Amino acid sequence: MPELVTAVTLVKTEGVLVFLVAAAPAAVRSAKGSPAAIESVLMSAIRPDTGPDAADPGRRRSGQLESRIVTVLTEAGLALTPGEVRDRLAPHADLSYSTVVTILTRLHTKGAVIRRRDGRAYRYAAVRDAAGLVADRMTKLLDAESDRSSVLRRFVGGLDAQDEQILRELLRDKLD
């Protein structure tokens, strides 16, 4: 990996310490010129525990457990109780039954899973796969913004070459 940071200078101004970071051209290219993306790339170079690929061992990324639960339900091919989901998801891990019930209830509210009563519990089945769940989240975020064009432009500007090519092919297929 090329050096992303060419210099770091510490300056104290009005009692505040400020880091001045000089970005290497590779950092700017990999971030496709977006200021927020450049900041993320530089922060991950300065502090590897930050940035989009950082992993906080105490917390999951937003939606990560939802995606894993939907994947378990999709792969099962039949409706599962929360206990069965927990056992398939993390048989030896520290994941509580109530956490799984909470996530399944949220997924049901979002329309991502269906449920039916089975004795005292519910059985849940996936309506769409994990990719569909992420696509729904992306659509809701886009719907929340008034300037959709700017959001889409920045999104596309932040894609790597491979993802950009996939998007081009998908759009071309849709137009055909």
Side-chain angles (χ1 to χ4, degrees):
M1 176 178 219
E3 288 296 320
L4 300 177
V5 176
T6 58
V8 177
T9 306
L10 183 62
V11 178
K12 187 172 184 178
T13 177
E14 297 181 17
V16 177
L17 290 175
V18 178
F19 285 95
L20 300 175
V21 180
V28 177
R29 278 194 306 276
S30 70
K32 301 216 186 321
S34 160
I38 292 170
E39 178 184 9
S40 177
V41 168
L42 292 176
M43 287 305 296
S44 64
I46 295 168
R47 288 191 51 213
D49 61 330
T50 64
D53 298 325
D56 177 354
R59 297 222 17 111
R60 292 176 202 86
R61 287 189 329 256
S62 175
Q64 181 181 21
L65 187 54
E66 285 184 355
S67 293
R68 290 179 57 205
I69 287 175
V70 168
T71 299
V72 165
L73 291 171
T74 303
E75 290 175 354
L78 65 143
L80 301 174
T81 65
E84 292 168 335
V85 170
R86 189 187 66 73
D87 291 345
R88 290 179 185 215
L89 191 63
H92 306 293
D94 187 25
L95 182 63
S96 73
Y97 178 86
S98 63
T99 298
V100 174
V101 169
T102 299
I103 298 298
L104 285 166
T105 302
R106 288 179 185 162
L107 288 167
H108 180 259
T109 301
K110 293 176 182 181
V113 299
I114 56 172
R115 69 181 182 191
R116 66 174 167 78
R117 184 72 80 180
D118 184 17
R120 292 178 47 201
Y122 284 107
R123 288 194 169 274
Y124 294 85
V127 173
R128 52 182 88 79
D129 62 5
L133 197 60
V134 172
D136 287 347
R137 263 189 258 133
M138 291 171 64
T139 300
K140 285 178 185 166
L141 288 170
L142 182 59
D143 288 344
E145 292 298 321
S146 58
D147 188 359
R148 295 171 71 100
S149 178
S150 291
V151 172
L152 288 169
R153 185 178 308 109
R154 289 183 183 194
F155 174 74
V156 171
L159 295 175
D160 64 25
Q162 183 179 3
D163 288 340
E164 189 175 330
Q165 183 60 36
I166 292 169
L167 183 58
R168 286 181 190 280
E169 290 170 8
L170 290 170
L171 289 170
R172 190 172 26 254
D173 289 348
K174 185 175 180 165
L175 295 174
D176 291 341

